[in-house]
Amino acid sequence: MNERKAAPEDVISDAMANPSPAKSMGDPGITPLSPSHTQNDTEQVQTQQSFVVVVAIDFGTTSSGYAYAFTKEPECIHTMRRWEGGDPGVSNQKTPTTILLTPDRKFHSFGYAARDFYHDLDPSESKHWLYLEKFKMKLHTTANLSIDTDLHAANGKRVKALDIFAYALAFFKEQALKELSDQTGGDFDNNDVRWVITVPAIWKMPAKQFMREAAYKSGLVSRENPEQLIIALEPEAASIYCRKLRLHQMVDLGTQNTQNGFSPTENAGSAMSQAKEHVRRNRQSRTFLVENVVGELWSELEEGDRYVVVDCGGGTVDLTVHQIRLPEGHLKELYKASGKHRSTFCFAVCRCSHSVKSLIFLLLPGGPYGSIGIDYEFEKLLCKIFGQDFIDTFKIKRPAAWVDLMIAFESRKRAAAPERTNPLNINLPFSFIDYYKKFRGHSVEHALRKSNVDFVKWSSQGMLRMSPDAMNSLFKPTIDHIIQHLTELFDKPEVSDIKFLFLVGGFAESPLLQQAVQNMLQGRSRIIIPHDVGLTILKGAVLFGLDPSVIKVRRSPLTYGVGVLNRFVEGKHPPEKLLVKDGTRWCTDVFDTFIAADQSVSLGEMVKRSYTPAKPSQQVIVIHVYCSEKESVGFISESGVRKCGTLRLDVSGTESTAPRREIQTLMQFGDTEIRAMAVDVSTGRTVKASIDFLSH
């Protein structure tokens, strides 16, 4: 155990619950009895619950779905049943992340069913229904996320975000359990399911906790059995699956050899089209065999080799660098995220039981640069042609028609390609044409002529005709952001000599993005795109649920700690932090670090602290948790330090006759979520411990 005790003259021997005099922060002054950083001992390891099946839910920004595998057949990953509905030319491996509530705010439908029902409503009715889409990133963009955070439906009405996420998870629970029941020939018990929910790597702890709270509210899992749910980071899941890829399960854009029947002279779009056809022909069984060995690409990698996973989703893009190391080798930090993006940074070590190789991977600065950025550019184009005031009004007054317009754009958006020469036609709903004439007093054709947007024309068939260059220009800002991040990454000497680049996520299907990445790399790395690239994260999440210990080490994205009282030392501590109590001089607001930003933490590694209630009758100990992007923090009042959570120890029912009660608290930072557990040392009884990030 790596003991980290403070000097006796610096820390008092028991915790105090008296208020700190630091009026600016208002934090209680406490001191740890025995601060330490320890690897998880055998007796501390929780008994692993056995599950019959692992079900992973990929809750995406634009589309969602689930997949599962029985623990006795881990090599067989089953994807969800084919969804009803869909659009011409758009694969429905997953279903749109859309949800519809009745006018009295009851759940009605999800996915294609929600979208199609909403589409068929009369405009006079649709304005009373609550339709929501692409709402996932609200959890990341909301500065002060709480269980009371609201979302806006298409008609402008507000609805609780927790209710929406809970409805969605309840829908997937019902669908998955029904399919499992049909598979097994009887009612499948939810207690036999280990659930996995994927989230972007850039999400902070409040967003992750919010998803867990939604899972509790939906009945997916119970608070009494939190281990039944695992939160998986999307790029981690993608990496786990990519390690298993065989040559026939990918498109290799960076090799000079014929791959999967594709010649290297064929462009990216052609290769992916043939790959999609190959997948379509083999999708009837909906079962993917994942061999219990590493793929051929992995076997090509040697110690020290690096590769990148670029996860391009609907709402975010995460870049991850991986390095192969032998188990006995020391961890090496490949690249340090800038302060601006520090909160998106962590890296981990993957274990492979069938090879001596292990894997270090580093999550680099990502951002909200997913494919929905193209939708925003299209909306900006419409505002330029028809006016911001009209578009804002139309979205509220004719919400179903606005959805129809964006569906039409989505279909044509997927047809964008570098070599395309003929225009793309986008159907304008009749209500758009009609409402614009009433709103402006002239036709949409007139608006197009007056807009000076030369690359968008009007078709007499009621369509917008966009030139290929016009469509490609809508992609440019989003793709430029991705290429900028990749360029900055490849310019770093710490992450040079990247052998492979894996493109995953739904946006990775875009030929425009593929060509941009190829042009940027100039042959420096081989570009690998898995077949069914939109399901890569989903299948990897199933593998992660089958073996959560596959990720061995992570780095903390932030510095976490609490405010404590230390012995005041002249010349070392600021005079304004001096507190004299019962003749003893104390320094207030000292930041007691649990874990530092960029510090590596092994799975199961614990940070130990002991606290004593201020009074024998005290029932609850509440301690504020602070965080910072800085690696070294001295005081909780420093710039950049913020209160981010609350550690709550419920000591009721553990009363003892001991003169001083010591509550030993263990906090785990090596998982995708921060966990806490505690025990009353004198009685040996478990103390209910929790860390809440949503109340702040």
Side-chain angles (χ1 to χ4, degrees):
M1 177 173 86
N2 295 324
E3 193 79 16
R4 188 186 60 80
K5 286 193 175 183
E9 68 271 17
D10 289 340
V11 180
I12 60 175
S13 61
D14 61 353
M16 302 173 61
N18 296 315
S20 166
K23 301 294 191 298
S24 61
M25 305 302 290
D27 196 43
I30 57 173
T31 57
L33 289 175
S34 55
S36 63
H37 196 80
T38 178
Q39 189 72 25
N40 203 4
D41 298 326
T42 304
E43 66 269 17
Q44 294 170 348
V45 178
Q46 296 181 346
T47 303
Q48 290 295 316
Q49 183 178 347
S50 60
F51 299 97
V52 176
V53 67
V54 170
V55 179
I57 300 173
D58 182 6
F59 201 114
T61 302
T62 55
S63 61
S64 300
Y66 68 88
Y68 60 93
F70 292 95
T71 53
K72 291 185 178 180
E73 295 181 318
E75 70 280 359
C76 295
I77 300 177
H78 308 269
T79 58
M80 56 279 170
R81 290 168 171 165
R82 184 177 177 86
W83 298 102
E84 295 182 4
D87 305 314
V90 178
S91 170
N92 58 349
Q93 302 166 358
K94 296 192 286 188
T95 195
T97 307
T98 56
I99 193 167
L100 182 64
L101 306 187
T102 63
D104 58 353
R105 296 175 179 263
K106 302 295 184 184
F107 174 79
H108 180 271
S109 50
F110 186 91
Y112 285 116
R115 202 193 65 186
D116 294 345
F117 186 92
Y118 188 63
H119 168 273
D120 292 338
L121 286 171
D122 185 88
S124 62
E125 292 182 275
S126 64
K127 64 183 180 182
H128 300 295
W129 290 67
L130 290 91
Y131 179 85
L132 297 98
E133 62 178 353
K134 301 173 183 175
F135 49 83
K136 172 185 172 183
M137 286 307 292
K138 178 76 171 181
L139 300 192
H140 176 67
T141 57
T142 301
N144 299 307
L145 183 67
S146 75
I147 57 174
D148 295 320
T149 295
D150 287 330
L151 298 173
H152 287 89
N155 60 4
K157 294 182 179 179
R158 298 161 73 96
V159 62
K160 293 295 181 189
L162 188 66
D163 291 339
I164 296 301
F165 281 86
Y167 282 141
L169 292 177
F171 168 80
F172 282 114
K173 175 190 174 185
E174 179 184 357
Q175 296 293 316
L177 289 180
K178 186 176 187 306
E179 182 167 344
L180 289 170
S181 296
D182 292 343
Q183 284 260 15
T184 57
D187 290 337
F188 203 88
D189 189 351
N190 186 53
N191 292 323
D192 291 332
V193 180
R194 159 158 273 174
W195 295 94
V196 182
I197 299 176
T198 64
V199 302
I202 64 172
W203 275 19
K204 299 180 177 67
M205 284 308 304
K208 296 177 186 177
Q209 183 181 337
F210 188 97
M211 287 299 289
R212 181 168 285 277
E213 291 295 328
Y216 292 149
K217 186 178 179 67
S218 70
L220 194 73
V221 298
S222 67
R223 294 184 187 276
E224 290 70 34
N225 190 17
E227 299 301 319
Q228 191 180 358
L229 170 65
I230 298 176
I231 301 295
L233 302 182
E234 290 168 0
E236 284 188 2
S239 176
I240 292 168
Y241 181 72
C242 285
R243 292 189 306 122
K244 298 283 189 177
L245 283 175
R246 307 306 301 269
L247 291 178
H248 65 276
Q249 296 172 319
M250 67 183 77
V251 174
D252 187 340
L253 301 182
T255 181
Q256 295 304 307
N257 300 319
T258 300
Q259 184 70 29
N260 302 298
F262 308 130
S263 164
T265 59
E266 294 181 282
N267 60 53
S270 174
M272 281 305 296
S273 296
Q274 295 183 50
K276 289 178 187 176
E277 177 62 20
H278 170 81
V279 170
R280 187 193 64 77
R281 291 196 303 266
N282 291 280
R283 192 179 291 147
Q284 298 304 315
S285 67
R286 298 179 298 106
T287 300
F288 295 84
L289 294 179
V290 182
E291 299 181 44
N292 202 20
V293 294
V294 296
E296 289 94 340
L297 286 182
W298 177 269
S299 63
E300 290 184 33
L301 296 170
E302 300 176 351
E303 182 183 6
D305 283 346
R306 303 179 176 111
Y307 66 87
V308 178
V309 172
V310 183
D311 174 17
C312 304
T316 59
V317 171
D318 286 314
L319 310 181
T320 315
V321 176
H322 313 240
Q323 185 176 31
I324 306 300
R325 299 298 298 269
L326 295 177
E328 62 271 23
H330 297 292
L331 298 182
K332 180 182 179 182
E333 184 172 314
L334 302 180
Y335 173 68
K336 189 172 186 178
S338 64
K340 178 181 177 182
H341 298 291
R342 179 71 53 79
S343 61
T344 70
F345 170 83
C346 63
F347 80 70
V349 177
C350 287
R351 168 180 59 78
C352 178
S353 59
H354 300 280
S355 172
V356 297
K357 298 169 185 172
S358 62
L359 171 68
I360 299 173
F361 74 84
L362 168 64
L363 278 155
L364 299 170
Y369 307 129
S371 60
I372 59 173
I374 303 160
D375 299 342
Y376 296 147
E377 291 299 318
F378 178 62
E379 185 174 336
K380 284 166 57 178
L381 176 63
L382 293 177
C383 290
K384 183 176 181 180
I385 297 172
F386 302 107
Q388 178 83 50
D389 56 341
F390 168 73
I391 295 299
D392 289 344
T393 304
F394 181 75
K395 289 166 67 175
I396 296 299
K397 297 295 186 180
R398 299 289 187 271
W402 174 256
V403 171
D404 288 347
L405 175 56
M406 295 309 295
I407 291 172
F409 174 69
E410 176 71 23
S411 177
R412 306 314 297 147
K413 178 176 76 175
R414 292 171 182 252
E419 74 283 359
R420 188 181 182 96
T421 57
N422 55 315
L424 296 104
N425 295 327
I426 301 171
N427 285 309
L428 280 183
F430 171 77
S431 59
F432 184 99
I433 300 170
D434 181 63
Y435 193 79
Y436 181 80
K437 188 166 187 177
K438 293 176 180 177
F439 190 89
R440 292 283 190 228
H442 56 255
S443 66
V444 295
E445 183 180 3
H446 177 82
L448 278 165
R449 287 200 306 267
K450 296 294 184 182
S451 67
N452 296 320
V453 179
D454 297 333
F455 44 78
V456 180
K457 304 295 183 183
W458 174 248
S459 165
S460 59
Q461 296 175 317
M463 294 183 289
L464 294 178
R465 292 177 62 85
M466 294 187 67
S467 69
D469 288 342
M471 178 63 79
N472 295 355
S473 69
L474 301 181
F475 282 72
K476 190 175 186 305
T478 298
I479 290 178
D480 283 351
H481 278 299
I482 297 171
I483 297 303
Q484 177 186 348
H485 279 312
L486 278 174
T487 301
E488 292 172 356
L489 166 64
F490 276 78
D491 285 344
K492 297 292 179 182
E494 303 95 320
V495 288
S496 60
D497 302 322
I498 300 296
K499 197 160 188 176
F500 299 111
L501 184 145
F502 289 92
L503 271 180
V504 302
F507 192 26
E509 295 181 1
S510 167
L512 291 170
L513 175 61
Q514 293 169 12
Q515 185 188 66
V517 174
Q518 283 182 297
N519 291 340
M520 187 277 294
L521 288 177
Q522 293 292 308
R524 284 180 287 176
S525 300
R526 287 166 60 183
I527 302 170
I528 309 297
I529 306 174
H531 286 175
D532 256 359
V533 66
L535 298 179
T536 300
I537 291 168
L538 189 53
K539 290 182 279 189
V542 173
L543 295 174
F544 179 62
L546 289 167
D547 182 14
S549 65
V550 68
I551 308 296
K552 302 300 290 182
V553 177
R554 292 180 173 89
R555 277 190 183 267
S556 176
L558 299 170
T559 295
Y560 290 95
V562 296
V564 301
L565 302 177
N566 283 3
R567 293 278 190 177
F568 190 87
V569 179
E570 291 287 351
K572 174 184 177 182
H573 295 138
E576 63 271 18
K577 298 293 184 183
L578 174 63
L579 167 67
V580 180
K581 184 175 177 62
D582 298 330
T584 304
R585 293 158 59 87
W586 303 104
C587 180
T588 66
D589 296 341
V590 175
F591 190 98
D592 174 34
T593 301
F594 290 162
I595 204 84
D598 302 345
Q599 180 178 338
S600 61
V601 191
S602 298
L603 185 65
E605 192 170 344
M606 298 286 185
V607 175
K608 184 190 298 182
R609 294 290 188 275
S610 292
Y611 301 105
T612 295
K615 301 176 182 178
S617 60
Q618 189 170 347
Q619 301 292 301
V620 177
I621 300 176
V622 178
I623 303 167
H624 296 304
V625 178
Y626 295 84
C627 68
S628 173
E629 294 183 356
K630 296 186 295 184
E631 293 181 33
S632 178
V633 181
F635 298 93
I636 62 174
S637 54
E638 288 180 12
S639 174
V641 178
R642 58 185 176 86
K643 190 184 299 182
C644 64
T646 300
L647 173 63
R648 190 176 190 274
L649 306 176
D650 185 350
V651 296
S652 60
T654 62
E655 292 81 2
S656 70
T657 58
R660 185 182 69 173
R661 296 167 63 195
E662 179 182 345
I663 309 300
Q664 187 178 88
T665 305
L666 297 170
M667 286 157 286
Q668 181 177 329
F669 290 86
D671 210 336
T672 55
E673 299 175 273
I674 298 175
R675 305 176 187 275
M677 57 195 77
V679 64
D680 189 319
V681 175
S682 61
T683 64
R685 294 177 182 173
T686 300
V687 173
K688 187 177 181 181
S690 61
I691 299 183
D692 179 15
F693 292 97
L694 278 176
S695 298
H696 300 275

